[in-house]
Amino acid sequence: MRNWLKPLIGIMASAVLLAGCGSSKTDDTAGNTSASEQAVAIKFMLWNDSASERMYDELAQAFEAKNPGITIDFTKSDANTYSERLTVTLTGGGEVDAFAFKSLDEYYKLASSGRALALDDLATADNTELSGVHSFFNDLKINDSLYGLPFRSDGWALYYNKDLFDQAGVAYPGDDLTWEQYVELAKQMTSGSGQDKIYGSFMPDWPQTWYSYGQQLGSSLYSDNLTPYVEGLKLRKELSESGAQPSVAENKATNAHYRTAFLTGKYAMVVTGTWFPGMLEQDQKDNKLSFNWGMTYVPHPPGVQKGTTMTAVVVHAVNSDSKHPEEAKKWISFISSEEGQKIVAKYQTPASAADSVKDQYKATFTNDAVNMDAIFNITSVPERELRKGITQMNAIATEEGELALLGELTPEEAIENIKKRRDQEIQ
């Protein structure tokens, strides 16, 4: 079993976090041995969860087998506090060579402040090793430089309860559904009341569920004209006001979650990320799934190509102060390569669209309901824009959008407030 390092411990007032133990053989090497012959231990930081630990263990074993003399020492931190600990580690001089970013917010913040090494030498068109993830590079660049290599990617999809559609005698959702058609279908699939009520739709209370409309049209929350986002917010609000979907207030009162809601068998459709099939696969193994389900492309605005979906990637990076930058780059490159991505595909949604990677991902499921096209054969638009104010913009959209969904503002007022606050709060 690989030696997983214990969570980092603050050892001084500035809360500098040092990645502990890990036996680097470099210090024990005789002085007359060249650096190229010395064994190198790459200190790699990530958040802890059982699936990730198993995945990285397998990745490290495969990497070390291909790269004698380089070993991977893991430093893991609690997922809930990982972002803060990573920031303190990098700004405080903690000994870490490479790491995983948990969100695009922290990727932008730390990379743009010089804490991550530029990887432009890896982003060349002739780098066939990374060809499967190359399509993400432009959207990941900050000031025209790449600082992270994608290893996981999630888009959005539509999931539906086949049994409910069969009982209602209604055709399953098609793969070219507009948002307007989705709302009408959700109304059609809604019936009953009280404990016997069947809802046509469930969506997480995230702003992405309404601002996706504008993103899919190619708009930007930073543009002068935010009109495209008004329609998305109107449709999201119509779902709740029509009774086809629980309101934000109801979800907050019951602490509702899309996974538990879908498992009740009382929701005809759910819109959420492409990580959901993995959850449903586990639920099936645990005998928590009592109905047949299917999935297809996420709905889109009229005139937009089917399969157009927001995507968010998770990236690895190299500490700009790494003692072993070349070896660290080799490690994260391996994870994003076709060989590494085939390992990632056993545990998470991979970023690579290579056929062998997709085959491996498909093989992890026992349920043939998983729609590979809705995961891989997509037209990607960024869910979050990597630019100044990324964190503030998310908060602004969340707060103003929620006020509209609670009925305290009209969608038009909420979008206008987003524009005003954006111009005032993001300098």
Side-chain angles (χ1 to χ4, degrees):
M1 176 65 68
R2 181 168 300 279
N3 177 32
W4 285 84
L5 301 183
K6 295 180 179 179
L8 301 175
I9 301 173
I11 60 172
M12 53 192 301
S14 63
V16 174
L17 303 173
L18 300 180
C21 49
S23 55
S24 171
K25 300 175 185 176
T26 303
D27 295 337
D28 299 326
T29 303
N32 60 354
T33 303
S34 68
S36 62
E37 296 173 330
Q38 296 176 2
V40 171
I42 299 300
K43 299 182 186 298
F44 182 72
M45 185 173 175
L46 71 155
W47 62 93
N48 63 325
D49 65 69
S50 58
S52 291
E53 290 181 10
R54 293 194 302 271
M55 179 185 76
Y56 282 114
D57 234 4
E58 186 172 346
L59 284 165
Q61 290 171 16
F63 175 78
E64 290 172 357
K66 290 187 65 174
N67 297 274
I70 305 179
T71 58
I72 308 300
D73 281 353
F74 295 106
T75 298
K76 62 177 181 177
S77 179
D78 180 80
N80 294 323
T81 58
Y82 177 79
S83 296
E84 293 82 0
R85 286 177 177 269
L86 176 64
T87 298
V88 174
T89 299
L90 297 182
T91 57
E95 294 182 7
V96 60
D97 295 295
F99 49 90
F101 277 115
K102 199 169 189 293
S103 71
L104 290 178
D105 291 48
E106 66 188 31
Y107 171 60
Y108 180 83
K109 178 180 69 175
L110 292 171
S112 62
S113 62
R115 302 302 175 181
L117 192 68
L119 305 173
D120 297 317
D121 57 323
L122 300 178
T124 57
D126 60 353
N127 188 345
T128 57
E129 182 182 14
L130 298 177
S131 59
V133 299
H134 198 275
S135 61
F136 292 105
F137 287 173
N138 283 338
D139 287 338
L140 286 172
K141 287 184 177 180
I142 300 172
N143 298 325
D144 295 324
S145 284
L146 181 71
Y147 295 93
L149 294 185
F151 74 97
R152 194 180 92 200
S153 174
D154 285 299
W156 287 72
L158 167 58
Y159 304 86
Y160 55 92
N161 183 322
K162 287 184 174 181
D163 293 359
L164 289 180
F165 276 89
D166 291 341
Q167 292 165 16
V170 176
Y172 301 148
D175 65 358
D176 198 10
L177 209 62
T178 67
W179 282 113
E180 289 79 0
Q181 291 169 333
Y182 175 85
V183 172
E184 293 307 311
L185 183 57
K187 293 177 183 177
Q188 184 181 359
M189 288 300 299
T190 300
S191 63
S193 61
Q195 295 297 317
D196 297 324
K197 181 166 185 176
I198 300 297
Y199 286 95
S201 171
F202 188 96
M203 293 181 185
D205 292 334
W206 305 334
Q208 293 95 321
T209 59
W210 59 261
Y211 77 60
S212 61
Y213 198 97
Q215 297 297 106
Q216 289 171 304
L217 285 168
S219 298
S220 168
L221 285 167
Y222 295 86
S223 67
D224 290 334
N225 180 16
L226 298 186
T227 302
Y229 297 97
V230 175
E231 186 63 21
L233 193 49
K234 283 182 176 180
L235 291 168
R236 177 69 169 79
K237 188 174 183 180
E238 185 179 346
L239 280 169
S240 297
E241 291 185 341
S242 68
Q245 178 170 287
S247 67
V248 170
E250 290 174 300
N251 285 345
K252 288 182 179 299
T254 60
N255 197 27
H257 187 274
Y258 58 88
R259 183 180 188 178
T260 52
F262 195 51
L263 290 178
T264 65
K266 295 185 177 182
Y267 292 83
M269 297 183 290
V270 169
V271 173
T272 191
T274 52
W275 58 81
F276 199 31
M279 293 181 174
L280 294 176
E281 173 72 13
Q282 187 59 52
D283 291 330
Q284 181 171 300
K285 292 177 181 177
D286 294 340
N287 296 316
K288 296 179 179 178
L289 189 61
S290 60
F291 54 86
N292 296 306
W293 63 278
M295 66 178 289
T296 188
Y297 288 120
V298 71
H300 58 82
V304 172
Q305 180 181 351
K306 73 175 183 180
T308 300
T309 178
M310 297 186 301
T311 56
V313 296
V314 185
V315 303
H316 292 134
V318 174
N319 186 354
S320 56
D321 292 329
S322 169
K323 295 179 180 179
H324 309 290
E326 294 307 313
E327 291 85 353
K329 285 160 64 175
K330 183 177 289 188
W331 160 239
I332 66 170
S333 292
F334 172 77
I335 300 174
S336 294
S337 71
E338 186 169 342
E339 182 179 353
Q341 286 288 284
K342 286 167 67 176
I343 296 174
V344 171
K346 298 179 183 179
Y347 304 90
Q348 299 176 357
T349 311
S352 174
D355 288 340
S356 65
V357 176
K358 290 189 284 187
D359 290 343
Q360 178 60 66
Y361 180 77
K362 178 68 173 178
T364 63
F365 294 96
T366 59
N367 195 319
D368 61 5
V370 181
N371 186 327
M372 298 296 286
D373 282 340
I375 297 174
F376 293 105
N377 187 22
I378 59 175
T379 299
S380 175
V381 295
E383 183 176 300
R384 307 283 296 282
E385 295 175 64
L386 289 174
R387 56 188 294 172
K388 187 176 182 179
I390 181 174
T391 302
Q392 295 98 311
M393 179 56 76
N394 186 61
I396 292 170
T398 299
E399 292 163 5
E400 299 299 331
E402 188 170 288
L403 289 174
L405 295 177
L406 290 171
E408 298 180 28
L409 296 174
T410 66
E412 291 84 358
E413 289 171 337
I415 298 301
E416 183 60 31
N417 283 354
I418 288 174
K419 183 178 180 180
K420 289 179 180 178
R421 289 184 59 185
R422 177 200 69 193
D423 294 342
Q424 294 171 353
E425 298 175 28
I426 301 176
Q427 304 297 327

PDB file of all heavy atoms in Angstrom, residues 334-358:
ATOM      1  N   PHE A 334       1.732  12.573 -17.793  1.00  0.00           N
ATOM      2  CA  PHE A 334       1.344  11.171 -17.861  1.00  0.00           C
ATOM      3  C   PHE A 334      -0.133  10.998 -17.523  1.00  0.00           C
ATOM      4  O   PHE A 334      -0.856  10.248 -18.180  1.00  0.00           O
ATOM      5  CB  PHE A 334       2.197  10.331 -16.898  1.00  0.00           C
ATOM      6  CG  PHE A 334       1.733   8.907 -16.781  1.00  0.00           C
ATOM      7  CD1 PHE A 334       2.017   7.975 -17.771  1.00  0.00           C
ATOM      8  CD2 PHE A 334       0.986   8.493 -15.681  1.00  0.00           C
ATOM      9  CE1 PHE A 334       1.568   6.661 -17.676  1.00  0.00           C
ATOM     10  CE2 PHE A 334       0.534   7.188 -15.573  1.00  0.00           C
ATOM     11  CZ  PHE A 334       0.828   6.272 -16.581  1.00  0.00           C
ATOM     12  N   ILE A 335      -0.613  11.713 -16.506  1.00  0.00           N
ATOM     13  CA  ILE A 335      -2.012  11.592 -16.090  1.00  0.00           C
ATOM     14  C   ILE A 335      -2.950  12.031 -17.219  1.00  0.00           C
ATOM     15  O   ILE A 335      -4.027  11.459 -17.413  1.00  0.00           O
ATOM     16  CB  ILE A 335      -2.285  12.415 -14.824  1.00  0.00           C
ATOM     17  CG1 ILE A 335      -1.400  11.933 -13.673  1.00  0.00           C
ATOM     18  CG2 ILE A 335      -3.762  12.318 -14.412  1.00  0.00           C
ATOM     19  CD1 ILE A 335      -1.491  12.778 -12.413  1.00  0.00           C
ATOM     20  N   SER A 336      -2.539  13.042 -17.989  1.00  0.00           N
ATOM     21  CA  SER A 336      -3.378  13.548 -19.072  1.00  0.00           C
ATOM     22  C   SER A 336      -3.144  12.836 -20.395  1.00  0.00           C
ATOM     23  O   SER A 336      -3.844  13.103 -21.369  1.00  0.00           O
ATOM     24  CB  SER A 336      -3.136  15.054 -19.259  1.00  0.00           C
ATOM     25  OG  SER A 336      -3.567  15.781 -18.126  1.00  0.00           O
ATOM     26  N   SER A 337      -2.171  11.943 -20.430  1.00  0.00           N
ATOM     27  CA  SER A 337      -1.907  11.177 -21.649  1.00  0.00           C
ATOM     28  C   SER A 337      -2.963  10.096 -21.822  1.00  0.00           C
ATOM     29  O   SER A 337      -3.760   9.819 -20.909  1.00  0.00           O
ATOM     30  CB  SER A 337      -0.527  10.521 -21.566  1.00  0.00           C
ATOM     31  OG  SER A 337      -0.527   9.459 -20.610  1.00  0.00           O
ATOM     32  N   GLU A 338      -2.975   9.458 -22.978  1.00  0.00           N
ATOM     33  CA  GLU A 338      -3.966   8.417 -23.237  1.00  0.00           C
ATOM     34  C   GLU A 338      -3.848   7.270 -22.234  1.00  0.00           C
ATOM     35  O   GLU A 338      -4.857   6.771 -21.732  1.00  0.00           O
ATOM     36  CB  GLU A 338      -3.824   7.889 -24.663  1.00  0.00           C
ATOM     37  CG  GLU A 338      -4.911   6.899 -25.060  1.00  0.00           C
ATOM     38  CD  GLU A 338      -4.900   6.587 -26.541  1.00  0.00           C
ATOM     39  OE1 GLU A 338      -4.305   7.365 -27.324  1.00  0.00           O
ATOM     40  OE2 GLU A 338      -5.494   5.560 -26.936  1.00  0.00           O
ATOM     41  N   GLU A 339      -2.619   6.886 -21.919  1.00  0.00           N
ATOM     42  CA  GLU A 339      -2.429   5.810 -20.950  1.00  0.00           C
ATOM     43  C   GLU A 339      -2.960   6.195 -19.570  1.00  0.00           C
ATOM     44  O   GLU A 339      -3.639   5.415 -18.909  1.00  0.00           O
ATOM     45  CB  GLU A 339      -0.942   5.443 -20.858  1.00  0.00           C
ATOM     46  CG  GLU A 339      -0.655   4.294 -19.897  1.00  0.00           C
ATOM     47  CD  GLU A 339       0.819   3.923 -19.837  1.00  0.00           C
ATOM     48  OE1 GLU A 339       1.611   4.453 -20.634  1.00  0.00           O
ATOM     49  OE2 GLU A 339       1.176   3.085 -18.970  1.00  0.00           O
ATOM     50  N   GLY A 340      -2.626   7.399 -19.136  1.00  0.00           N
ATOM     51  CA  GLY A 340      -3.106   7.860 -17.835  1.00  0.00           C
ATOM     52  C   GLY A 340      -4.603   8.047 -17.801  1.00  0.00           C
ATOM     53  O   GLY A 340      -5.273   7.731 -16.810  1.00  0.00           O
ATOM     54  N   GLN A 341      -5.157   8.569 -18.886  1.00  0.00           N
ATOM     55  CA  GLN A 341      -6.589   8.815 -18.954  1.00  0.00           C
ATOM     56  C   GLN A 341      -7.403   7.521 -18.931  1.00  0.00           C
ATOM     57  O   GLN A 341      -8.533   7.492 -18.449  1.00  0.00           O
ATOM     58  CB  GLN A 341      -6.922   9.632 -20.195  1.00  0.00           C
ATOM     59  CG  GLN A 341      -6.524  11.103 -20.076  1.00  0.00           C
ATOM     60  CD  GLN A 341      -7.422  11.868 -19.131  1.00  0.00           C
ATOM     61  OE1 GLN A 341      -8.558  12.206 -19.453  1.00  0.00           O
ATOM     62  NE2 GLN A 341      -6.927  12.128 -17.935  1.00  0.00           N
ATOM     63  N   LYS A 342      -6.837   6.443 -19.434  1.00  0.00           N
ATOM     64  CA  LYS A 342      -7.521   5.149 -19.353  1.00  0.00           C
ATOM     65  C   LYS A 342      -7.641   4.690 -17.905  1.00  0.00           C
ATOM     66  O   LYS A 342      -8.614   4.033 -17.524  1.00  0.00           O
ATOM     67  CB  LYS A 342      -6.767   4.104 -20.185  1.00  0.00           C
ATOM     68  CG  LYS A 342      -6.954   4.288 -21.684  1.00  0.00           C
ATOM     69  CD  LYS A 342      -5.983   3.465 -22.494  1.00  0.00           C
ATOM     70  CE  LYS A 342      -6.235   1.982 -22.366  1.00  0.00           C
ATOM     71  NZ  LYS A 342      -5.327   1.198 -23.237  1.00  0.00           N
ATOM     72  N   ILE A 343      -6.671   5.083 -17.079  1.00  0.00           N
ATOM     73  CA  ILE A 343      -6.761   4.784 -15.648  1.00  0.00           C
ATOM     74  C   ILE A 343      -7.783   5.705 -14.982  1.00  0.00           C
ATOM     75  O   ILE A 343      -8.622   5.258 -14.190  1.00  0.00           O
ATOM     76  CB  ILE A 343      -5.376   4.925 -14.983  1.00  0.00           C
ATOM     77  CG1 ILE A 343      -4.414   3.882 -15.550  1.00  0.00           C
ATOM     78  CG2 ILE A 343      -5.487   4.786 -13.457  1.00  0.00           C
ATOM     79  CD1 ILE A 343      -2.976   4.025 -15.075  1.00  0.00           C
ATOM     80  N   VAL A 344      -7.730   6.994 -15.318  1.00  0.00           N
ATOM     81  CA  VAL A 344      -8.701   7.949 -14.770  1.00  0.00           C
ATOM     82  C   VAL A 344     -10.125   7.506 -15.089  1.00  0.00           C
ATOM     83  O   VAL A 344     -11.036   7.607 -14.258  1.00  0.00           O
ATOM     84  CB  VAL A 344      -8.438   9.362 -15.323  1.00  0.00           C
ATOM     85  CG1 VAL A 344      -9.569  10.317 -14.923  1.00  0.00           C
ATOM     86  CG2 VAL A 344      -7.104   9.900 -14.827  1.00  0.00           C
ATOM     87  N   ALA A 345     -10.327   6.971 -16.299  1.00  0.00           N
ATOM     88  CA  ALA A 345     -11.662   6.574 -16.758  1.00  0.00           C
ATOM     89  C   ALA A 345     -12.282   5.470 -15.915  1.00  0.00           C
ATOM     90  O   ALA A 345     -13.492   5.270 -15.937  1.00  0.00           O
ATOM     91  CB  ALA A 345     -11.601   6.139 -18.219  1.00  0.00           C
ATOM     92  N   LYS A 346     -11.482   4.761 -15.145  1.00  0.00           N
ATOM     93  CA  LYS A 346     -12.015   3.723 -14.263  1.00  0.00           C
ATOM     94  C   LYS A 346     -12.688   4.324 -13.033  1.00  0.00           C
ATOM     95  O   LYS A 346     -13.461   3.654 -12.353  1.00  0.00           O
ATOM     96  CB  LYS A 346     -10.892   2.792 -13.794  1.00  0.00           C
ATOM     97  CG  LYS A 346     -10.191   2.021 -14.890  1.00  0.00           C
ATOM     98  CD  LYS A 346      -9.077   1.162 -14.284  1.00  0.00           C
ATOM     99  CE  LYS A 346      -8.282   0.427 -15.342  1.00  0.00           C
ATOM    100  NZ  LYS A 346      -7.195  -0.382 -14.733  1.00  0.00           N
ATOM    101  N   TYR A 347     -12.390   5.599 -12.760  1.00  0.00           N
ATOM    102  CA  TYR A 347     -12.847   6.210 -11.519  1.00  0.00           C
ATOM    103  C   TYR A 347     -13.657   7.487 -11.701  1.00  0.00           C
ATOM    104  O   TYR A 347     -14.542   7.790 -10.901  1.00  0.00           O
ATOM    105  CB  TYR A 347     -11.635   6.538 -10.629  1.00  0.00           C
ATOM    106  CG  TYR A 347     -10.755   5.353 -10.330  1.00  0.00           C
ATOM    107  CD1 TYR A 347      -9.691   5.024 -11.164  1.00  0.00           C
ATOM    108  CD2 TYR A 347     -11.000   4.543  -9.226  1.00  0.00           C
ATOM    109  CE1 TYR A 347      -8.880   3.930 -10.888  1.00  0.00           C
ATOM    110  CE2 TYR A 347     -10.194   3.443  -8.936  1.00  0.00           C
ATOM    111  CZ  TYR A 347      -9.136   3.143  -9.778  1.00  0.00           C
ATOM    112  OH  TYR A 347      -8.334   2.047  -9.515  1.00  0.00           O
ATOM    113  N   GLN A 348     -13.343   8.265 -12.743  1.00  0.00           N
ATOM    114  CA  GLN A 348     -13.984   9.562 -12.940  1.00  0.00           C
ATOM    115  C   GLN A 348     -14.210   9.797 -14.432  1.00  0.00           C
ATOM    116  O   GLN A 348     -13.779   9.002 -15.261  1.00  0.00           O
ATOM    117  CB  GLN A 348     -13.103  10.680 -12.347  1.00  0.00           C
ATOM    118  CG  GLN A 348     -12.869  10.536 -10.846  1.00  0.00           C
ATOM    119  CD  GLN A 348     -11.913  11.583 -10.294  1.00  0.00           C
ATOM    120  OE1 GLN A 348     -11.362  12.389 -11.024  1.00  0.00           O
ATOM    121  NE2 GLN A 348     -11.720  11.561  -8.987  1.00  0.00           N
ATOM    122  N   THR A 349     -14.884  10.902 -14.763  1.00  0.00           N
ATOM    123  CA  THR A 349     -15.104  11.237 -16.164  1.00  0.00           C
ATOM    124  C   THR A 349     -13.821  11.825 -16.731  1.00  0.00           C
ATOM    125  O   THR A 349     -13.402  12.909 -16.319  1.00  0.00           O
ATOM    126  CB  THR A 349     -16.238  12.257 -16.317  1.00  0.00           C
ATOM    127  OG1 THR A 349     -17.379  11.827 -15.576  1.00  0.00           O
ATOM    128  CG2 THR A 349     -16.621  12.404 -17.779  1.00  0.00           C
ATOM    129  N   PRO A 350     -13.159  11.146 -17.645  1.00  0.00           N
ATOM    130  CA  PRO A 350     -11.869  11.625 -18.152  1.00  0.00           C
ATOM    131  C   PRO A 350     -12.017  12.839 -19.052  1.00  0.00           C
ATOM    132  O   PRO A 350     -13.087  13.106 -19.598  1.00  0.00           O
ATOM    133  CB  PRO A 350     -11.341  10.415 -18.935  1.00  0.00           C
ATOM    134  CG  PRO A 350     -12.595   9.741 -19.423  1.00  0.00           C
ATOM    135  CD  PRO A 350     -13.599   9.897 -18.312  1.00  0.00           C
ATOM    136  N   ALA A 351     -10.916  13.565 -19.209  1.00  0.00           N
ATOM    137  CA  ALA A 351     -10.927  14.722 -20.099  1.00  0.00           C
ATOM    138  C   ALA A 351     -10.652  14.316 -21.543  1.00  0.00           C
ATOM    139  O   ALA A 351     -11.082  14.997 -22.466  1.00  0.00           O
ATOM    140  CB  ALA A 351      -9.880  15.739 -19.643  1.00  0.00           C
ATOM    141  N   SER A 352      -9.939  13.215 -21.733  1.00  0.00           N
ATOM    142  CA  SER A 352      -9.559  12.784 -23.073  1.00  0.00           C
ATOM    143  C   SER A 352     -10.737  12.152 -23.810  1.00  0.00           C
ATOM    144  O   SER A 352     -11.529  11.410 -23.224  1.00  0.00           O
ATOM    145  CB  SER A 352      -8.414  11.776 -23.004  1.00  0.00           C
ATOM    146  OG  SER A 352      -8.125  11.246 -24.284  1.00  0.00           O
ATOM    147  N   ALA A 353     -10.813  12.449 -25.099  1.00  0.00           N
ATOM    148  CA  ALA A 353     -11.852  11.858 -25.942  1.00  0.00           C
ATOM    149  C   ALA A 353     -11.286  10.748 -26.825  1.00  0.00           C
ATOM    150  O   ALA A 353     -11.930  10.342 -27.794  1.00  0.00           O
ATOM    151  CB  ALA A 353     -12.500  12.927 -26.805  1.00  0.00           C
ATOM    152  N   ALA A 354     -10.093  10.249 -26.498  1.00  0.00           N
ATOM    153  CA  ALA A 354      -9.504   9.161 -27.274  1.00  0.00           C
ATOM    154  C   ALA A 354     -10.411   7.934 -27.201  1.00  0.00           C
ATOM    155  O   ALA A 354     -11.019   7.657 -26.158  1.00  0.00           O
ATOM    156  CB  ALA A 354      -8.114   8.822 -26.740  1.00  0.00           C
ATOM    157  N   ASP A 355     -10.510   7.199 -28.287  1.00  0.00           N
ATOM    158  CA  ASP A 355     -11.420   6.051 -28.342  1.00  0.00           C
ATOM    159  C   ASP A 355     -11.123   5.024 -27.253  1.00  0.00           C
ATOM    160  O   ASP A 355     -12.048   4.477 -26.646  1.00  0.00           O
ATOM    161  CB  ASP A 355     -11.337   5.385 -29.719  1.00  0.00           C
ATOM    162  CG  ASP A 355     -11.980   6.222 -30.819  1.00  0.00           C
ATOM    163  OD1 ASP A 355     -12.805   7.097 -30.486  1.00  0.00           O
ATOM    164  OD2 ASP A 355     -11.652   5.997 -32.001  1.00  0.00           O
ATOM    165  N   SER A 356      -9.867   4.754 -27.007  1.00  0.00           N
ATOM    166  CA  SER A 356      -9.524   3.761 -25.988  1.00  0.00           C
ATOM    167  C   SER A 356      -9.947   4.220 -24.598  1.00  0.00           C
ATOM    168  O   SER A 356     -10.322   3.410 -23.743  1.00  0.00           O
ATOM    169  CB  SER A 356      -8.013   3.486 -26.002  1.00  0.00           C
ATOM    170  OG  SER A 356      -7.276   4.642 -25.630  1.00  0.00           O
ATOM    171  N   VAL A 357      -9.905   5.531 -24.371  1.00  0.00           N
ATOM    172  CA  VAL A 357     -10.327   6.083 -23.082  1.00  0.00           C
ATOM    173  C   VAL A 357     -11.841   5.959 -22.926  1.00  0.00           C
ATOM    174  O   VAL A 357     -12.347   5.560 -21.866  1.00  0.00           O
ATOM    175  CB  VAL A 357      -9.887   7.553 -22.957  1.00  0.00           C
ATOM    176  CG1 VAL A 357     -10.424   8.166 -21.656  1.00  0.00           C
ATOM    177  CG2 VAL A 357      -8.370   7.663 -23.005  1.00  0.00           C
ATOM    178  N   LYS A 358     -12.567   6.281 -23.989  1.00  0.00           N
ATOM    179  CA  LYS A 358     -14.027   6.154 -23.954  1.00  0.00           C
ATOM    180  C   LYS A 358     -14.443   4.703 -23.749  1.00  0.00           C
ATOM    181  O   LYS A 358     -15.393   4.416 -23.012  1.00  0.00           O
ATOM    182  CB  LYS A 358     -14.634   6.715 -25.240  1.00  0.00           C
ATOM    183  CG  LYS A 358     -14.519   8.225 -25.355  1.00  0.00           C
ATOM    184  CD  LYS A 358     -15.322   8.761 -26.525  1.00  0.00           C
ATOM    185  CE  LYS A 358     -14.652   8.511 -27.842  1.00  0.00           C
ATOM    186  NZ  LYS A 358     -15.352   9.173 -28.960  1.00  0.00           N
TER     187      LYS A 358
END
